[in-house]
Structures are given as C-alpha cells and as structure tokens.
Amino acid sequence: MKGSLCHELETGLPAADVWEVYGSLLLGQLITRLLPDILSKVEVVNGDGGVGTVLLYTFLPGIAGLSYQREKFIKVDHRNFVKEALVVEGGFLDLGFLSYLLRFEIIDADKGSIIRSTVEYEVGDDSSDTASLASTSILACVAKAIIKHIKVQKSNEQTPKQAS
C-alpha cells in the first residue's frame, strides 16, 4: 500500500531566500540548533549537498520511537527548488515502512513563497497500523522554525548599526 501526506506553509519570503537553506546542507545544521527537542545531531556521512549526499540524523529519545535515520538525496533541483531525500536506513524503515521519501518544494507565490513538504511512503498491504505513523508534523515544525530564522536574519541585516 502506498500513500502520501503533504504540508504547505506560506512564508512571506522570496523563494530564492528559502531555497538558500533548503537547497543546501545548512538545513541540517540549523535544525539541531533551532529544534533541539527533536534532533540531537545531523551529520554528513557522504557528499557535498548534491545528489548522492547521505545524512545521518540522531533523534532525541522518545521521538515517535525513532533513534536514528540515514537519508540519501536523490534529487536536488536548484532551478525548480525541489529536493528529495530517501530514507535508506533506520528511522521510518525500522518502524515497518518499505520506503519513505521526503520531498521539499519551494514554490513562488503572490506574497513570497510556499514550502510544500511531502512524505511518500509504502507499507505492506497488511500494515495499515504502520501507515498511520506517517506524518508531516516534524517537517511542519522544521518549516516554521526555518522561516522564523530567515526572517530574523533578514531583519538583523536591515537594522542599521548603532553608532558607537
């Protein structure tokens, strides 16, 4: 059985500004700093942020029964602002999923952009309980935290320096 879930968040920011984070390794670096109650560590196992890059996520105890997860970037499209990562070890695979794919799309919109976070998964036909564990809640938290971070950074850049 296959399924998918999607979460969208309007950012109020230009798509290119959001993609600077989502399209690079900066996303993993920021997640542990901005959401320390979810992830304790994100490590680059292999790669430079392009297709083939493998990341190792270490979750804090108690996060949906997850301890770690390895993801491999299978698509990084800088022109269309799309990144796909496939879980290749641990994490959702340990929970019984046959496959678990994360897709991030940064979409131009009238007032900025939209972050569309999608989860596509597959479970055995008799595993409807497993399918119920699929969620975009962590991705929604990540999107909100990243947008807040970018807005603070932009605000700090625009604030004139005080004369000493």
Side-chain angles (χ1 to χ4, degrees), residues 1-159:
M1 175 174 79
K2 293 183 179 186
S4 67
L5 300 168
C6 183
H7 175 268
E8 291 189 355
L9 177 68
E10 292 185 21
T11 69
L13 295 165
D17 290 354
V18 178
W19 183 250
E20 267 186 51
V21 174
Y22 271 85
S24 70
L25 292 173
L26 183 57
L27 180 63
Q29 296 166 4
L30 287 174
I31 291 173
T32 55
R33 196 170 84 214
L34 300 175
L35 299 169
D37 52 335
I38 295 175
L39 284 170
S40 64
K41 191 170 21 171
V42 177
E43 299 171 77
V44 177
V45 175
N46 184 31
D48 60 2
V51 171
T53 296
V54 177
L55 299 180
L56 173 62
Y57 294 88
T58 304
F59 294 93
L60 290 175
I63 302 296
L66 304 172
S67 60
Y68 80 97
Q69 178 167 293
R70 283 185 197 259
E71 294 177 3
K72 182 176 185 177
F73 296 169
I74 60 170
K75 181 177 188 174
V76 181
D77 182 342
H78 294 293
R79 179 188 294 203
N80 296 305
F81 301 152
V82 178
K83 180 188 275 185
E84 293 181 350
L86 183 65
V87 176
V88 294
E89 182 182 324
F92 287 93
L93 300 181
D94 286 349
L95 297 177
F97 287 87
L98 302 174
S99 68
Y100 205 86
L101 176 106
L102 308 166
R103 178 181 304 111
F104 302 104
E105 299 169 87
I106 312 304
I107 303 161
D108 275 318
D110 290 338
K111 295 180 180 177
S113 60
I114 297 169
I115 299 173
R116 179 182 295 149
S117 305
T118 304
V119 172
E120 293 181 0
Y121 60 88
E122 184 175 359
V123 296
D125 290 336
D126 58 345
S127 300
S128 60
D129 289 346
T130 301
S132 70
L133 299 174
S135 173
T136 59
S137 62
I138 291 176
L139 302 179
C141 290
V142 167
K144 289 175 188 168
I146 294 299
I147 295 315
K148 182 178 177 183
H149 170 79
I150 294 171
K151 286 181 176 179
V152 167
Q153 292 297 108
K154 287 189 138 319
S155 174
N156 289 343
E157 290 171 6
Q158 294 173 357
T159 303

